[in-house]
Amino acid sequence: MKKELEILNEIEQAEEKIKSSWDKLSYIANYNHKKVLQAFIDNNIGTHHLEGTTGYGFNDLGRETLEKLVSQIFKSEASLVRPHFASGTHTISCVLFGILRPGDELLSVVGKPYDTLEEVIGVRGKGYGSLADWGISYKVLPLTYDNTVDYDKLPDFINKKTKLVLIQRSRGYDLRPSVNIKEIKKIIQYVKQIKSDTICFVDNCYGEFCETEEPIEVGADIIAGSFIKNFGGGITPQGGYITGKSELVFKAGNRLYTPGMGAKVGATLGFNRAAFLGIFLAPHVVEEALKGAILASYIFEKRGYKVSPRWDEYRTDIVQAICLNNPELVKKFCWSIQKSSPIDSYLQPIPEKIDGYNDKVIMAGGTFTEGSSIELSADGPLREPYAVYLQAGISYRYLRIALIKVLKNLYE
Ligand SMILES: *Cc1c(COP(=O)(O)O)cnc(C)c1O
């Protein structure tokens, strides 16, 4: 009991200290909420849009309007907003396969991309059906020694085959800093200066609504993200979105469905209502998640751990990395998060080989939507430097309660 009081005290002091960072979040959330609400008003969203279609899903008024709304939010030409994307990886994969053709080259400019994309690209696994299997080559521009984009070497990595540049905004399971909108703008300008017809594709997973601008506004040609992360606000139970230049979105639609019909089909059943509501709430939920991430960052740094980003650093995504330097602590951290979850609190996650990942990964998340990492999740691959990645919470209060448990159990 005494210990719990001490922890509570530690948290209250931290909350006092981090207020200045929270104030900045509040500005961003106000801005984004207004932007989203305005898109609802401008598109005359009505109850009839909340219904879905069955069968082929031709002329789905709700779906078509939802896509217009998403285009307005991101300031893009066209969008594909669908429940049929099985995951973020699948969504990103539709962009890559939709656009790239044999002989083309893909370049990842911020180091290696997210773990699950390696099998899509074909650098790991059997490669059957991967980009490599289709004769699409791939290069990675390694980061500099201080984990920034290597602008000096960039020209050497772009050649006449380079069709598409992949810019991953969020860090993934990596301690490199996430790439904020200002940096994305700079990367795109550099790339286009070297080869103006290079398609700049931003993996926007975990980034939505963390800043007032989104990647299309700074020159990205196409972006993609997942509904079971930021963009679904913890509400939308499945799906993904792709948005950007019409021609590119059209190509991704042909890949998701089939040439001839493209994105004109795809029944939505109950998706539209959940998607509208999720997007509407997302700016608020992202603010809650960021508040929690800042608290965790402050507390763990104070306790002597390396954290990234630091509590007062600028943020472009909701992921908080905490280097625990020890696999046992990673497990204990995840167990405590799981124990504090509304769903499946009685389970204990174990590090396991998960499809798509190379290392064993431990994932805690007792969520209403399976695998939804915006609700509250902590995960990490069991590899050096044994960092845990916290995606902090559909509500700040929930993270706060869970964090007390983490701090109580960590050294037991
Ligand atoms: C989560 C994530 C993905 C993949 O999304 P899944 O839904 O897990 O397949 C891709 N890129 C980044 C940066 C991510 O955070």
Side-chain angles (χ1 to χ4, degrees), residues 197 249 287 320:
D197 63 350
V249 173
E287 180 188 16
Q320 178 63 49

Side-chain angles (χ1 to χ4, degrees), residues 25-138:
L25 297 181
S26 151
Y27 172 80
I28 295 168
N30 276 327
Y31 182 95
N32 285 328
H33 238 317
K34 189 162 172 231
K35 170 163 79 178
V36 169
L37 176 59
Q38 198 58 47
F40 275 76
I41 295 167
D42 292 347
N43 285 283
N44 290 323
I45 305 302
T47 20
H48 50 294
H49 292 123
L50 308 181
E51 302 299 325
T53 48
T54 56
Y56 293 118
F58 282 117
N59 304 313
D60 188 319
L61 184 66
R63 185 188 70 211
E64 286 165 11
T65 316
L66 175 66
E67 292 183 339
K68 283 199 189 117
L69 173 112
V70 169
S71 300
Q72 176 167 338
I73 292 169
F74 286 112
K75 306 193 170 56
S76 63
E77 286 173 18
S79 300
L80 201 55
V81 183
R82 304 294 167 119
H84 313 111
F85 291 116
S87 63
T89 307
H90 181 213
T91 314
I92 293 163
S93 182
C94 284
V95 172
L96 298 174
F97 280 96
I99 295 171
L100 293 164
R101 288 297 170 268
D104 289 343
E105 190 160 282
L106 164 68
L107 172 65
S108 174
V109 283
V110 279
K112 281 195 318 180
Y114 194 76
D115 294 47
T116 57
L117 288 172
E118 294 192 329
E119 284 187 66
V120 173
I121 295 165
V123 285
R124 179 162 58 75
K126 285 199 200 69
Y128 191 74
S130 66
L131 292 175
D133 194 31
W134 284 101
I136 294 152
S137 57
Y138 168 62

Side-chain angles (χ1 to χ4, degrees), residues 105 107-111 139-142 144 149-159 162 165-167 183-195 198 200:
E105 190 160 282
L107 172 65
S108 174
V109 283
V110 279
K139 278 206 182 99
V140 181
L141 174 64
T144 60
V149 175
D150 199 339
Y151 290 104
D152 294 338
K153 296 226 176 74
L154 184 57
D156 304 335
F157 280 75
I158 294 182
N159 57 57
T162 312
V165 160
L166 173 64
I167 304 164
E183 192 70 27
I184 289 173
K185 181 176 184 173
K186 186 171 163 195
I187 296 172
I188 294 171
Q189 281 173 347
Y190 262 75
V191 167
K192 301 255 178 192
Q193 251 169 34
I194 300 164
K195 186 168 178 282
T198 316
C200 292

Side-chain angles (χ1 to χ4, degrees), residues 87-89 92 114 116 168 170 172 203 205-206 226 229 357:
S87 63
T89 307
I92 293 163
Y114 194 76
T116 57
Q168 184 180 303
S170 180
D203 169 358
C205 284
Y206 283 138
S226 165
K229 293 182 176 173
Y357 294 89

Side-chain angles (χ1 to χ4, degrees), residues 179-242:
V179 188
N180 64 36
I181 294 291
K182 202 171 145 205
E183 192 70 27
I184 289 173
K185 181 176 184 173
K186 186 171 163 195
I187 296 172
I188 294 171
Q189 281 173 347
Y190 262 75
V191 167
K192 301 255 178 192
Q193 251 169 34
I194 300 164
K195 186 168 178 282
S196 63
D197 63 350
T198 316
I199 295 160
C200 292
F201 168 37
V202 176
D203 169 358
N204 209 31
C205 284
Y206 283 138
E208 299 89 355
F209 302 128
C210 290
E211 300 189 57
T212 53
E213 279 185 310
E214 297 289 340
I216 300 285
E217 294 165 70
V218 293
D221 297 297
I222 187 162
I223 68 173
S226 165
F227 267 104
I228 61 172
K229 293 182 176 173
N230 301 18
F231 204 56
I235 298 290
T236 321
Q238 76 200 102
Y241 73 88
I242 292 171

